[in-house]
Amino acid sequence: MVIKGKWNNKKYKLIKLIGSGNFGKVYKAIDSRKKVIAIKISKDLLSITNEYNAMVKLKNMPFVPKVYDFDDLEWGGEVCHFIVMDYIHGENLKEIDTKRKLNPQIIFKLGEVLINILREIDETGYKYTDIKLENIILDKRGNVYFVDFGCLVEKGKPTKEYTPPYNINSWNINFKYDYEISTLFSVTMIMVSLIGKKEFNPLICSLEQVIVKINDLPLKNREKQFLIDGLKGKFKNFNEYKNSLSSLIKGKKSYNGLSKIDYILAVSIVSFVFVIIIGIKSILS
Ligand SMILES: Nc1ncnc2c1ncn2[C@@H]1O[C@H](COP(=O)(O)OP(=O)(O)O)[C@@H](O)[C@H]1O
Ligand SMILES: [Mg+2]
């Protein structure tokens, strides 16, 4: 199916639906120059305009897909709005989590990358509040991208878009926290979900129950303690958190660790294919 923007008149051929949320849909598509792109189509003008403005504001940051077009279209008899952006060749963390078991060392490294990204956003005076597995994409080279920038707001303003498991406000927390502590909570919860292969719903379990689960995980004691401290607001700022996380990660290197994530992911894919080949051979023999 081909869509055409109302004002800029650009045409795009939709190839495949890749995401579907409350207000919109995301498609893999190709533009008139045959370049593969992603198109987010939404009826919510406020949220998608905020998203477009946010992506333009953060356009020089390497973890933000580049945007190319923002326009309206007639869609099923209604006026919708769409953003055209780089298609990230990879998978979101939820997809990765359902297909593979990631080693905790890789998950801690990923946590460090997320902290670097969120700190960079923080320095612009804005906050990214909808931290969750589906909004973080890992590309084939091991680069991490964020999507879904409709949630970006100035730091002093109230949070508009969030997902309860990763949002400190949704848990019945009895300590004081600020924006930095709540961001550290979200990143910690991302790591806990990936290591435990389970997302926790604050409507049906308490933070104490999550901590019991962390204590049951096959981790070193200091790794468990780090995760528990992250959820309990023991780290007061990005730096304290990052120093503690770096010391958990062997080698203590920070940003270039991405290639290692990629390498280990690639190894896990190769070994998966290898297991299939061995399996097929043993069935045939
Ligand atoms: N630029 C992109 N490149 C590749 N995949 C993307 C891109 N943007 C979004 N996606 C995929 O589509 C899904 C939904 O996109 P998102 O912007 O989070 O929409 P929603 O507001 O519906 O949650 C994401 O989880 C991700 O897997
Ligand atoms: Mg999303």
Side-chain angles (χ1 to χ4, degrees):
M1 177 189 179
V2 175
I3 61 162
K4 187 175 162 202
K6 187 172 175 187
W7 308 107
N8 299 337
N9 287 318
K10 292 196 179 147
K11 285 184 184 168
Y12 303 96
K13 187 174 177 195
L14 306 183
I15 306 173
K16 189 180 154 199
L17 182 66
I18 50 176
S20 186
N22 290 343
F23 299 107
K25 292 184 174 1
V26 180
Y27 290 87
K28 184 177 184 180
I30 41 178
D31 68 11
S32 56
R33 293 178 180 171
K34 304 260 180 286
K35 180 179 153 69
V36 176
I37 38 103
I39 300 191
K40 181 162 185 173
I41 304 177
S42 170
K43 286 181 203 153
D44 185 334
L45 181 61
L46 205 65
S47 174
I48 200 157
T49 305
N50 193 46
E51 176 153 15
Y52 175 73
N53 290 337
M55 294 179 88
V56 170
K57 217 172 293 156
L58 305 180
K59 70 176 193 288
N60 293 326
M61 301 198 163
F63 52 84
V64 183
K66 298 239 166 325
V67 281
Y68 300 107
D69 194 9
F70 181 42
D71 208 341
D72 297 342
L73 86 154
E74 287 268 332
W75 181 261
E78 285 185 89
V79 176
C80 288
H81 321 280
F82 67 89
I83 300 175
V84 176
M85 64 185 111
D86 270 336
Y87 176 80
I88 309 303
H89 292 266
E91 287 175 313
N92 70 45
L93 291 184
K94 181 96 171 197
E95 292 165 334
I96 292 175
D97 184 49
T98 50
K99 289 182 195 166
R100 288 183 276 275
K101 174 114 185 78
L102 296 176
N103 175 319
Q105 278 297 313
I106 298 180
I107 295 168
F108 286 126
K109 265 200 147 82
L110 181 69
E112 196 181 31
V113 174
L114 298 181
I115 284 295
N116 286 335
I117 288 177
L118 289 159
R119 196 158 62 168
E120 253 187 86
I121 295 177
D122 179 69
E123 281 162 6
T124 66
Y126 286 82
K127 57 179 182 177
Y128 180 97
T129 60
D130 201 6
I131 298 169
K132 63 170 163 182
L133 300 179
E134 293 94 323
N135 286 347
I136 303 164
I137 305 181
L138 196 57
D139 82 358
K140 288 177 179 163
R141 295 196 196 108
N143 299 311
V144 175
Y145 288 85
F146 275 29
V147 292
D148 221 353
F149 284 89
C151 67
L152 200 89
V153 281
E154 278 168 61
K155 269 199 285 186
K157 300 242 169 94
T159 296
K160 284 187 288 185
E161 295 180 17
Y162 62 90
T163 303
Y166 302 97
N167 177 253
I168 198 167
N169 262 318
S170 310
W171 296 87
N172 208 358
I173 298 285
N174 55 10
F175 53 82
K176 270 192 125 189
Y177 56 88
D178 58 11
Y179 159 68
E180 250 175 276
I181 294 176
S182 59
T183 304
L184 302 176
F185 177 95
S186 306
V187 173
T188 310
M189 200 52 114
I190 290 279
M191 291 190 277
V192 171
S193 306
L194 288 172
I195 297 172
K197 291 190 85 64
K198 178 178 167 48
E199 289 186 288
F200 295 95
N201 181 349
L203 289 177
I204 55 174
C205 78
S206 68
L207 199 63
E208 284 312 312
Q209 286 169 310
V210 177
I211 289 166
V212 169
K213 291 270 190 252
I214 294 175
N215 276 316
D216 286 343
L217 291 172
L219 294 174
K220 296 185 186 110
N221 281 339
R222 62 194 194 104
E223 293 172 336
K224 290 180 189 173
Q225 196 54 51
F226 169 80
L227 294 172
I228 294 168
D229 287 349
L231 294 184
K232 287 193 154 182
K234 295 280 159 63
F235 301 106
K236 298 296 174 226
N237 54 48
F238 287 118
N239 264 350
E240 258 185 40
Y241 188 88
K242 223 196 125 180
N243 290 342
S244 184
L245 183 52
S246 300
S247 71
L248 287 184
I249 300 167
K250 287 185 206 93
K252 295 192 180 178
K253 285 188 183 165
S254 56
Y255 220 82
N256 60 358
L258 282 180
S259 54
K260 196 163 177 195
I261 291 177
D262 180 44
Y263 170 69
I264 298 175
L265 278 179
V267 168
S268 70
I269 296 165
V270 170
S271 54
F272 176 62
V273 173
F274 189 66
V275 169
I276 292 178
I277 293 170
I278 302 263
I280 292 172
K281 276 193 176 166
S282 63
I283 289 167
L284 293 178
S285 61

Coordinates of all heavy atoms in Angstrom, one line a residue, residues 162-224:
Y162 N 4.3 7.0 30.4 CA 5.2 6.1 31.1 C 4.5 4.7 31.1 O 3.4 4.5 30.7 CB 5.4 6.6 32.5 CG 4.1 6.6 33.4 CD1 3.7 5.5 34.1 CD2 3.4 7.8 33.4 CE1 2.5 5.6 34.9 CE2 2.2 7.8 34.1 CZ 1.8 6.7 34.9 OH 0.6 6.8 35.6
T163 N 5.3 3.7 31.5 CA 4.8 2.3 31.6 C 5.0 1.8 33.0 O 6.2 1.9 33.5 CB 5.5 1.4 30.6 OG1 5.3 2.1 29.3 CG2 5.0 0.0 30.5
P164 N 3.9 1.4 33.7 CA 4.0 1.2 35.2 C 5.2 0.4 35.7 O 5.8 0.8 36.7 CB 2.6 0.6 35.5 CG 1.7 1.2 34.5 CD 2.6 1.3 33.2
P165 N 5.5 -0.8 35.1 CA 6.6 -1.6 35.8 C 7.9 -0.8 35.9 O 8.7 -1.0 36.8 CB 6.8 -2.7 34.8 CG 5.5 -2.9 34.1 CD 5.0 -1.5 34.0
Y166 N 8.1 0.2 35.0 CA 9.4 0.9 35.0 C 9.3 2.3 35.6 O 10.3 3.0 35.6 CB 10.0 1.0 33.5 CG 10.1 -0.4 32.9 CD1 9.1 -1.0 32.1 CD2 11.2 -1.2 33.3 CE1 9.2 -2.3 31.7 CE2 11.3 -2.5 32.8 CZ 10.3 -3.0 32.0 OH 10.4 -4.3 31.6
N167 N 8.2 2.6 36.1 CA 7.9 4.0 36.6 C 7.8 3.9 38.1 O 6.9 3.3 38.7 CB 6.6 4.5 36.0 CG 6.3 5.9 36.5 OD1 5.4 6.0 37.3 ND2 7.0 6.8 36.1
I168 N 8.7 4.6 38.8 CA 8.8 4.6 40.2 C 7.5 5.0 40.9 O 7.1 4.5 42.0 CB 10.0 5.4 40.7 CG1 10.4 5.0 42.2 CG2 9.8 6.9 40.6 CD1 11.8 5.6 42.6
N169 N 6.8 5.9 40.3 CA 5.5 6.4 40.8 C 4.5 5.4 40.9 O 3.5 5.5 41.7 CB 4.9 7.5 39.8 CG 5.3 8.9 40.3 OD1 5.2 9.2 41.5 ND2 5.7 9.7 39.4
S170 N 4.6 4.3 40.1 CA 3.6 3.3 40.1 C 3.7 2.3 41.2 O 2.9 1.4 41.5 CB 3.6 2.5 38.8 OG 3.6 3.4 37.7
W171 N 4.9 2.3 41.9 CA 5.2 1.4 43.0 C 5.0 2.2 44.3 O 5.2 3.4 44.3 CB 6.7 0.9 42.9 CG 6.9 0.1 41.7 CD1 7.3 0.6 40.4 CD2 6.8 -1.3 41.5 NE1 7.4 -0.5 39.5 CE2 7.1 -1.7 40.2 CE3 6.5 -2.4 42.4 CZ2 7.1 -3.0 39.7 CZ3 6.5 -3.7 41.9 CH2 6.8 -4.0 40.6
N172 N 4.6 1.5 45.3 CA 4.3 2.1 46.6 C 5.6 2.4 47.3 O 5.9 1.7 48.2 CB 3.3 1.2 47.4 CG 2.5 2.0 48.3 OD1 2.6 3.3 48.3 ND2 1.6 1.3 49.0
I173 N 6.3 3.4 46.9 CA 7.6 3.7 47.4 C 7.6 4.5 48.7 O 6.8 5.5 48.7 CB 8.5 4.4 46.4 CG1 8.6 3.5 45.1 CG2 9.8 4.8 46.9 CD1 9.5 2.4 45.2
N174 N 8.3 4.2 49.7 CA 8.3 5.0 51.0 C 9.5 5.8 51.2 O 9.8 6.2 52.3 CB 8.0 4.1 52.2 CG 9.0 3.0 52.3 OD1 10.0 3.0 51.6 ND2 8.7 2.0 53.1
F175 N 10.3 6.1 50.1 CA 11.4 7.0 50.3 C 11.3 8.2 49.3 O 10.5 8.1 48.4 CB 12.7 6.3 50.1 CG 12.9 5.5 48.8 CD1 13.2 6.2 47.6 CD2 12.6 4.2 48.8 CE1 13.3 5.5 46.4 CE2 12.7 3.5 47.6 CZ 13.1 4.1 46.4
K176 N 12.0 9.2 49.6 CA 11.9 10.4 48.8 C 12.7 10.2 47.5 O 13.8 9.6 47.6 CB 12.5 11.6 49.5 CG 11.5 12.4 50.3 CD 12.0 13.7 50.8 CE 11.1 14.8 50.3 NZ 11.6 16.1 50.5
Y177 N 12.2 10.6 46.4 CA 13.0 10.4 45.2 C 12.8 11.6 44.2 O 11.8 12.3 44.3 CB 12.6 9.1 44.4 CG 11.2 9.0 44.1 CD1 10.7 9.5 42.9 CD2 10.3 8.4 45.0 CE1 9.3 9.3 42.6 CE2 8.9 8.2 44.7 CZ 8.5 8.7 43.5 OH 7.1 8.6 43.2
D178 N 13.8 11.8 43.4 CA 13.7 12.9 42.4 C 13.8 12.3 41.0 O 13.8 11.1 40.9 CB 14.8 14.0 42.7 CG 16.2 13.3 42.6 OD1 16.3 12.2 42.2 OD2 17.2 14.0 43.0
Y179 N 14.0 13.2 40.0 CA 14.0 12.7 38.7 C 15.2 11.7 38.4 O 15.0 10.6 37.8 CB 14.1 13.8 37.7 CG 14.6 13.4 36.3 CD1 13.9 12.6 35.5 CD2 15.8 13.9 35.9 CE1 14.4 12.2 34.3 CE2 16.3 13.4 34.7 CZ 15.6 12.6 33.9 OH 16.1 12.2 32.7
E180 N 16.4 12.0 39.0 CA 17.5 11.2 38.7 C 17.3 9.8 39.4 O 17.6 8.8 38.7 CB 18.8 11.8 39.3 CG 19.7 12.3 38.2 CD 20.9 13.0 38.6 OE1 20.8 14.3 38.8 OE2 22.0 12.4 38.7
I181 N 16.9 9.8 40.6 CA 16.6 8.5 41.3 C 15.6 7.7 40.5 O 15.7 6.5 40.4 CB 16.2 8.7 42.8 CG1 17.4 9.3 43.5 CG2 15.8 7.4 43.4 CD1 17.2 9.7 45.0
S182 N 14.5 8.4 40.0 CA 13.5 7.6 39.3 C 14.0 7.1 38.0 O 13.6 6.0 37.5 CB 12.2 8.4 39.1 OG 12.5 9.6 38.4
T183 N 14.9 7.8 37.3 CA 15.5 7.2 36.1 C 16.4 6.0 36.4 O 16.4 5.0 35.7 CB 16.4 8.3 35.4 OG1 15.6 9.5 35.2 CG2 16.9 7.9 34.1
L184 N 17.2 6.1 37.5 CA 18.0 5.0 37.9 C 17.1 3.8 38.3 O 17.5 2.6 37.9 CB 18.9 5.4 39.1 CG 19.8 6.6 38.8 CD1 20.6 7.0 40.1 CD2 20.8 6.3 37.7
F185 N 16.0 4.0 38.8 CA 15.0 3.0 39.1 C 14.6 2.3 37.8 O 14.6 1.0 37.7 CB 13.8 3.6 39.9 CG 12.7 2.6 40.1 CD1 12.6 1.9 41.4 CD2 11.7 2.3 39.2 CE1 11.6 1.0 41.7 CE2 10.7 1.3 39.5 CZ 10.7 0.7 40.7
S186 N 14.3 3.1 36.8 CA 13.8 2.5 35.6 C 14.9 1.6 34.9 O 14.6 0.5 34.4 CB 13.4 3.6 34.6 OG 12.5 4.5 35.1
V187 N 16.1 2.1 34.9 CA 17.2 1.4 34.2 C 17.4 0.1 35.0 O 17.6 -1.0 34.4 CB 18.5 2.2 34.1 CG1 19.6 1.4 33.6 CG2 18.2 3.4 33.2
T188 N 17.4 0.2 36.3 CA 17.6 -1.0 37.1 C 16.5 -2.0 36.8 O 16.7 -3.2 36.7 CB 17.5 -0.7 38.7 OG1 18.4 0.4 38.9 CG2 17.9 -1.9 39.5
M189 N 15.2 -1.6 36.7 CA 14.1 -2.5 36.5 C 14.2 -3.1 35.1 O 13.9 -4.3 34.9 CB 12.8 -1.7 36.6 CG 11.6 -2.5 36.8 SD 11.7 -3.7 38.1 CE 10.5 -3.1 39.3
I190 N 14.8 -2.4 34.1 CA 15.1 -3.0 32.8 C 16.0 -4.1 33.0 O 15.8 -5.2 32.4 CB 15.7 -1.9 31.8 CG1 14.7 -0.8 31.4 CG2 16.4 -2.6 30.6 CD1 13.8 -1.2 30.3
M191 N 17.1 -3.9 33.7 CA 18.1 -5.0 33.9 C 17.5 -6.2 34.7 O 17.7 -7.3 34.3 CB 19.3 -4.5 34.7 CG 20.1 -3.5 33.8 SD 21.7 -3.1 34.5 CE 21.2 -1.8 35.6
V192 N 16.7 -5.9 35.7 CA 16.0 -6.9 36.5 C 15.1 -7.8 35.6 O 15.1 -9.0 35.6 CB 15.2 -6.4 37.7 CG1 14.4 -7.4 38.4 CG2 16.2 -5.7 38.7
S193 N 14.3 -7.1 34.8 CA 13.4 -7.8 33.9 C 14.1 -8.7 32.9 O 13.7 -9.8 32.6 CB 12.5 -6.8 33.0 OG 11.9 -5.9 33.9
L194 N 15.3 -8.2 32.4 CA 16.0 -9.0 31.4 C 16.7 -10.2 32.1 O 16.7 -11.3 31.5 CB 17.0 -8.1 30.7 CG 16.5 -7.1 29.6 CD1 17.6 -6.2 29.2 CD2 15.8 -7.8 28.5
I195 N 17.3 -9.9 33.2 CA 18.0 -11.0 33.9 C 17.0 -12.1 34.4 O 17.2 -13.3 34.2 CB 18.9 -10.5 35.1 CG1 20.0 -9.5 34.5 CG2 19.5 -11.7 35.8 CD1 20.8 -8.8 35.6
G196 N 15.9 -11.6 35.0 CA 14.9 -12.5 35.5 C 14.0 -13.1 34.4 O 13.1 -13.9 34.7
K197 N 14.0 -12.5 33.2 CA 13.1 -12.9 32.1 C 11.7 -12.7 32.5 O 10.9 -13.6 32.3 CB 13.5 -14.2 31.5 CG 14.8 -14.3 30.8 CD 15.0 -15.5 30.0 CE 14.4 -15.6 28.6 NZ 15.0 -14.6 27.7
K198 N 11.4 -11.6 33.2 CA 10.0 -11.4 33.7 C 9.8 -9.9 33.9 O 10.6 -9.3 34.5 CB 9.8 -12.2 35.0 CG 8.4 -12.0 35.6 CD 8.3 -12.9 36.9 CE 7.1 -12.5 37.7 NZ 5.9 -12.4 37.0
E199 N 8.6 -9.4 33.4 CA 8.3 -8.0 33.8 C 7.4 -8.0 35.0 O 6.5 -8.8 35.0 CB 7.7 -7.3 32.5 CG 8.7 -7.1 31.4 CD 8.1 -6.3 30.3 OE1 7.3 -6.9 29.5 OE2 8.5 -5.1 30.1
F200 N 7.6 -7.1 35.9 CA 6.8 -7.1 37.1 C 5.7 -6.0 37.1 O 6.0 -4.9 36.7 CB 7.7 -6.8 38.3 CG 8.7 -7.9 38.5 CD1 10.0 -7.8 38.0 CD2 8.4 -9.1 39.2 CE1 10.9 -8.9 38.2 CE2 9.3 -10.1 39.4 CZ 10.5 -10.0 38.9
N201 N 4.5 -6.4 37.4 CA 3.4 -5.5 37.4 C 3.1 -5.0 38.8 O 2.8 -5.7 39.7 CB 2.2 -6.3 36.9 CG 0.9 -5.4 36.8 OD1 0.9 -4.3 37.3 ND2 -0.1 -5.9 36.1
P202 N 3.3 -3.6 39.0 CA 3.1 -3.1 40.3 C 1.6 -3.2 40.9 O 1.4 -3.1 42.1 CB 3.4 -1.6 40.2 CG 3.4 -1.3 38.7 CD 3.6 -2.6 38.0
L203 N 0.7 -3.6 40.0 CA -0.7 -3.8 40.5 C -0.8 -5.2 41.2 O -1.7 -5.3 42.0 CB -1.7 -3.8 39.3 CG -1.9 -2.4 38.7 CD1 -2.9 -2.5 37.5 CD2 -2.5 -1.4 39.7
I204 N 0.1 -6.1 40.8 CA -0.1 -7.4 41.4 C 1.1 -7.8 42.3 O 1.0 -8.9 42.9 CB -0.4 -8.5 40.3 CG1 0.6 -8.5 39.2 CG2 -1.8 -8.4 39.8 CD1 0.4 -9.7 38.3
C205 N 2.2 -7.1 42.3 CA 3.2 -7.4 43.3 C 3.9 -6.2 43.8 O 3.8 -5.1 43.3 CB 4.2 -8.4 42.6 SG 5.4 -7.7 41.5
S206 N 4.5 -6.4 45.0 CA 5.1 -5.2 45.7 C 6.6 -5.2 45.3 O 7.2 -6.2 44.8 CB 4.9 -5.4 47.2 OG 5.7 -6.5 47.6
L207 N 7.2 -4.1 45.7 CA 8.7 -4.0 45.4 C 9.4 -5.0 46.3 O 10.4 -5.6 45.8 CB 9.1 -2.5 45.7 CG 10.5 -2.2 45.1 CD1 10.4 -2.2 43.6 CD2 11.0 -0.8 45.6
E208 N 8.9 -5.3 47.5 CA 9.6 -6.3 48.3 C 9.6 -7.6 47.6 O 10.5 -8.4 47.7 CB 8.9 -6.3 49.7 CG 9.2 -5.2 50.6 CD 10.8 -4.9 50.7 OE1 11.5 -5.8 50.9 OE2 11.1 -3.7 50.6
Q209 N 8.5 -8.0 47.0 CA 8.4 -9.3 46.2 C 9.4 -9.3 45.1 O 10.0 -10.3 44.8 CB 7.0 -9.5 45.7 CG 6.1 -9.9 46.9 CD 4.6 -9.9 46.4 OE1 4.1 -8.9 45.8 NE2 3.9 -11.0 46.7
V210 N 9.6 -8.1 44.4 CA 10.6 -8.1 43.3 C 12.0 -8.3 43.9 O 12.8 -9.1 43.4 CB 10.6 -6.7 42.6 CG1 11.7 -6.6 41.6 CG2 9.2 -6.4 42.0
I211 N 12.2 -7.8 45.1 CA 13.5 -7.9 45.8 C 13.8 -9.4 46.2 O 14.9 -9.9 46.0 CB 13.7 -6.9 47.0 CG1 13.8 -5.5 46.4 CG2 14.8 -7.3 47.9 CD1 13.6 -4.4 47.3
V212 N 12.7 -10.1 46.6 CA 12.8 -11.5 46.9 C 13.2 -12.3 45.7 O 14.1 -13.1 45.7 CB 11.5 -12.1 47.5 CG1 11.5 -13.6 47.5 CG2 11.2 -11.4 48.8
K213 N 12.6 -11.9 44.5 CA 13.0 -12.5 43.2 C 14.4 -12.3 42.9 O 15.1 -13.1 42.4 CB 12.1 -12.0 42.1 CG 10.6 -12.4 42.2 CD 10.4 -13.7 41.5 CE 9.0 -14.1 41.3 NZ 8.5 -15.1 42.1
I214 N 14.9 -11.0 43.1 CA 16.3 -10.7 42.8 C 17.2 -11.6 43.6 O 18.2 -12.1 43.1 CB 16.6 -9.2 43.1 CG1 15.8 -8.3 42.1 CG2 18.1 -8.9 42.9 CD1 15.9 -6.8 42.3
N215 N 16.9 -11.8 44.9 CA 17.7 -12.6 45.7 C 17.8 -14.1 45.3 O 18.7 -14.8 45.6 CB 17.3 -12.5 47.2 CG 17.9 -11.3 47.8 OD1 19.1 -11.0 47.6 ND2 17.1 -10.5 48.5
D216 N 16.8 -14.5 44.5 CA 16.8 -15.9 44.0 C 17.5 -16.0 42.6 O 17.6 -17.1 42.1 CB 15.3 -16.3 43.7 CG 14.6 -16.6 45.0 OD1 15.3 -16.8 46.0 OD2 13.3 -16.7 45.0
L217 N 17.9 -14.9 42.0 CA 18.5 -14.9 40.7 C 20.0 -15.5 40.8 O 20.6 -15.3 41.8 CB 18.6 -13.5 40.1 CG 17.3 -12.9 39.7 CD1 17.5 -11.5 39.2 CD2 16.6 -13.7 38.5
P218 N 20.4 -16.2 39.8 CA 21.7 -16.8 39.8 C 22.8 -15.7 39.6 O 23.5 -15.7 38.5 CB 21.7 -17.8 38.7 CG 20.7 -17.3 37.7 CD 19.7 -16.5 38.5
L219 N 23.0 -14.8 40.5 CA 23.9 -13.7 40.4 C 24.9 -13.7 41.6 O 24.5 -14.3 42.6 CB 23.2 -12.4 40.4 CG 22.2 -12.1 39.2 CD1 21.5 -10.8 39.5 CD2 23.0 -11.9 37.9
K220 N 26.0 -13.0 41.4 CA 26.9 -12.8 42.6 C 26.2 -11.9 43.6 O 25.3 -11.0 43.2 CB 28.2 -12.1 42.1 CG 29.0 -13.0 41.2 CD 30.3 -12.3 40.9 CE 31.0 -13.1 39.8 NZ 31.1 -12.4 38.5
N221 N 26.5 -12.0 44.9 CA 25.9 -11.2 45.9 C 26.0 -9.7 45.6 O 25.0 -8.9 45.8 CB 26.5 -11.5 47.3 CG 25.9 -12.8 47.8 OD1 24.8 -13.2 47.4 ND2 26.6 -13.4 48.7
R222 N 27.1 -9.3 45.1 CA 27.3 -7.8 44.9 C 26.5 -7.3 43.7 O 26.0 -6.2 43.7 CB 28.8 -7.4 44.8 CG 29.5 -8.0 43.7 CD 31.0 -7.8 43.8 NE 31.7 -8.1 42.6 CZ 32.2 -7.2 41.8 NH1 32.1 -5.9 42.1 NH2 32.8 -7.5 40.6
E223 N 26.2 -8.2 42.8 CA 25.3 -7.9 41.7 C 23.9 -7.7 42.1 O 23.2 -6.8 41.8 CB 25.4 -9.0 40.6 CG 26.8 -9.0 39.9 CD 27.0 -10.2 38.9 OE1 26.3 -11.2 39.1 OE2 27.9 -10.0 38.1
K224 N 23.5 -8.7 43.0 CA 22.1 -8.6 43.6 C 22.0 -7.3 44.4 O 21.0 -6.6 44.2 CB 21.8 -9.8 44.5 CG 21.7 -11.1 43.8 CD 21.5 -12.2 44.8 CE 21.6 -13.6 44.2 NZ 21.5 -14.7 45.2

